[in-house]
Amino acid sequence: MTDSRQTAFEVLYKIFYDKAYSNIALDSALSKIDNSKAFVSRLVYGVVERKLTLDYLISQHCNKPKPKLLTILRMGVYQLYFMDSVPSSAAINESVKLAKNNGMQFYSSMVNAVLHKIDNNRIDFDSLDDLSLKYSIPQNLIRMWQKAYGNERTETFLPAFNEPAPIFIVPNSALIDIDSLSVALTKENICFERDGDLLKIKSSGDITATNAFKCGLFYIQDKSCYEAVKALGIKKGESVIDVCAAPGGKSFTAAQFTGKNGKILSCDIYEQRVGLIKNSAKRLDLNNIHTLVNNAAEYNSNIEKADKIICDVPCSGFGIIRRKPEIRYKELDTVKELPDIQYSILKTSSEYLNKGGRILYSTCTLNKRENEKVVEKFINENSDFRIVESRTIFPEISGGDGFFYSVIERN
């Protein structure tokens, strides 16, 4: 048995049964191994993404397996169906070894039999009408999207949620332009393609390990988020408050537009997260960014009014489930209180805005209750504001994440 599969098994068990966050559990595990990191990442995220599909296949041949056994079977089935580089014999044999080495010697023959049956009786999921099984997304979430956006639109973005999330980087205009950054990355053997103001990274590996990153020549930000901040129309020399700023990408983009004579106040409720913003701003040599530990839902009279405000609120995250795959399994009832919190943050943030200024309300979710409904309530209860632009960005396989933003102007 390879260490990589044992590592993946341990991480998956923590995610499914200890309620660990996938990115935190995986990052911790990867820091302890030297090889096969890409394989472990693919296996862990893949099993979490495809859990509903995998469980359906397992249920055809095995009735309610115990947690450790179910985890091993999920891993085996994922390798059989979704990892072409792994031969069926290896997927099955390594799963049997995994059972033996984790106290399930008694079930090893059962693992062998179940995986052979699944391998010999394959299902073409692309031909299924059941979207939940096809894309491994719960029915209640799919129904919510169908009601909000229609059946046809929903089916166009579902495939993106099971594809690798693209990485976009923004050139740091304080130090370099996009053409010069392209040259620098090429010298480091980084493959990319230009996408408007951004570069989309096509190389595998850790982009933050490059000299270009360490020298502050770029920062990472999803395309959808960048477009939202750009839509705010920040001008040179303006003042901007980013009320929920961590890890800082929106503030860094605002700094690109406002220039060195502008002022960015980046706030977050947690001191540690504010520290992340400070460190990144220092790496990028963005001296016009100032930080503050602050609760966005409570008005702070010490904060000066600003020309533009970025209000990217906490949300359910249903637009970024390809980056955090376990989000898809959230019960909708667990997020029903979010709109009240989001409205409170938007209302408080608006009190910092100068007359004639604009506020950006945004989320990384696809849920009208957290998006359009919050904005509509705010406009209905605050007659001195008007909507300039609202947009829902649906996730694309090679494009940005699912996102919503609304630019609101104070009359």
Side-chain angles (χ1 to χ4, degrees):
M1 181 194 60
T2 60
D3 289 339
S4 58
R5 287 182 173 84
Q6 179 64 32
T7 299
F9 168 76
E10 293 170 359
V11 173
L12 285 165
Y13 193 86
K14 290 178 181 178
I15 293 170
F16 289 132
Y17 300 106
D18 295 336
K19 305 301 181 184
Y21 292 109
S22 61
N23 59 326
I24 296 175
L26 182 58
D27 287 348
S28 176
L30 293 180
S31 68
K32 300 172 185 176
I33 62 174
D34 296 323
N35 301 313
S36 304
K37 293 187 177 184
F39 178 87
V40 173
S41 297
R42 168 81 186 280
L43 188 53
V44 168
Y45 280 131
V47 169
V48 177
E49 285 175 356
R50 292 288 186 171
K51 181 169 74 75
L52 296 182
T53 306
L54 302 175
D55 287 356
Y56 171 77
L57 291 168
I58 293 167
S59 70
Q60 305 303 299
H61 306 283
C62 182
N63 185 32
K64 296 182 179 179
K66 294 180 179 180
K68 287 185 178 180
L69 182 58
L70 179 56
T71 302
I72 291 172
L73 288 172
R74 284 169 173 168
M75 291 171 60
V77 177
Y78 184 79
Q79 291 170 78
L80 289 172
Y81 263 79
F82 302 106
M83 297 185 77
D84 295 337
S85 62
V86 179
S88 293
S89 58
I92 296 171
N93 293 338
E94 293 298 331
S95 297
V96 171
K97 292 178 184 178
L98 198 58
K100 291 179 179 179
N101 284 277
N102 285 277
M104 289 176 287
Q105 171 79 30
F106 179 79
Y107 294 103
S108 59
S109 59
M110 176 180 150
V111 170
N112 183 68
V114 169
L115 292 180
H116 268 108
K117 288 179 181 178
I118 291 173
D119 190 34
N120 294 329
N121 298 276
R122 289 179 173 263
I123 295 174
D124 180 10
F125 281 99
D126 289 337
S127 65
L128 290 180
D129 293 328
D130 188 327
L131 298 180
S132 181
L133 288 180
K134 187 174 181 178
Y135 298 110
S136 193
I137 295 176
Q139 284 283 7
N140 59 350
L141 188 54
I142 292 176
R143 283 195 294 267
M144 183 189 78
W145 287 333
Q146 289 174 328
K147 182 178 179 181
Y149 309 116
N151 293 353
E152 184 176 350
R153 190 69 189 88
T154 299
E155 288 197 49
T156 62
F157 66 74
L158 286 177
F161 286 132
N162 291 321
E163 294 294 327
I167 297 175
F168 293 91
I169 64 172
V170 186
N172 179 10
S173 60
L175 301 178
I176 201 168
D177 59 36
I178 193 167
D179 292 328
S180 299
L181 176 60
S182 298
V183 172
L185 292 175
T186 300
K187 289 180 178 178
E188 295 197 59
N189 299 315
I190 302 297
C191 295
F192 58 88
E193 63 182 36
R194 185 164 178 171
D195 191 329
D197 299 334
L198 314 181
L199 296 178
K200 182 167 68 175
I201 302 301
K202 304 182 76 174
S203 298
S204 59
D206 184 6
I207 190 68
T208 65
T210 61
N211 289 327
F213 179 84
K214 294 174 183 177
C215 292
L217 303 186
F218 68 86
Y219 55 94
I220 299 170
Q221 184 175 45
D222 184 68
K223 179 182 177 181
S224 299
C225 186
Y226 177 84
E227 290 182 356
V229 178
K230 186 177 181 179
L232 186 54
I234 300 170
K235 297 181 176 64
K236 294 290 185 183
E238 287 191 320
S239 57
V240 182
I241 302 172
D242 188 353
V243 299
C244 300
K250 300 177 297 297
S251 292
F252 306 150
T253 295
Q256 306 278 338
F257 296 126
T258 195
K260 63 181 180 180
N261 293 324
K263 180 181 178 181
I264 313 294
L265 179 62
S266 298
C267 307
D268 199 89
I269 194 171
Y270 299 111
E271 187 170 354
Q272 182 180 6
R273 289 169 64 82
V274 169
L276 294 176
I277 302 171
K278 284 183 179 179
N279 292 338
S280 294
K282 183 178 180 180
R283 176 181 64 82
L284 296 165
D285 196 29
L286 295 175
N287 298 319
N288 60 344
I289 292 181
H290 308 273
T291 58
L292 177 69
V293 177
N294 185 67
N295 184 348
E298 298 177 2
Y299 182 75
N300 184 342
S301 60
N302 294 319
I303 294 179
E304 296 181 3
K305 291 185 181 295
D307 303 309
K308 300 289 193 309
I309 293 175
I310 300 171
C311 183
D312 187 64
V313 296
C315 68
S316 58
F318 290 140
I320 57 169
I321 61 178
R322 63 184 173 187
R323 298 187 188 276
K324 298 180 180 179
E326 67 268 31
I327 288 177
R328 69 184 69 198
Y329 306 116
K330 278 184 179 179
E331 292 293 338
L332 295 183
D333 283 349
T334 64
V335 302
K336 64 182 181 181
E337 295 180 358
L338 279 172
D340 289 339
I341 298 171
Q342 293 158 344
Y343 178 82
S344 176
I345 294 175
L346 176 58
K347 181 70 173 72
T348 301
S349 299
S350 70
E351 296 176 33
Y352 301 123
L353 192 64
N354 286 327
K355 291 182 179 180
R358 291 182 174 184
I359 184 168
L360 173 73
Y361 175 84
S362 62
T363 74
C364 57
T365 195
L366 300 175
N367 181 1
K368 288 194 172 184
R369 289 184 178 180
E370 300 178 64
N371 298 339
E372 288 92 337
K373 296 297 182 182
V374 172
V375 174
E376 288 173 8
K377 179 181 178 181
F378 177 78
I379 293 299
N380 289 337
E381 296 184 6
N382 297 273
S383 58
D384 54 334
F385 288 83
R386 70 179 185 92
I387 297 174
V388 176
E389 175 191 0
S390 286
R391 182 186 177 195
T392 298
I393 303 175
F394 295 98
E396 300 174 6
I397 289 176
S398 60
D401 290 329
F403 208 84
F404 170 84
Y405 70 81
S406 185
V407 178
I408 304 168
E409 186 174 78
R410 186 167 199 168
N411 298 328

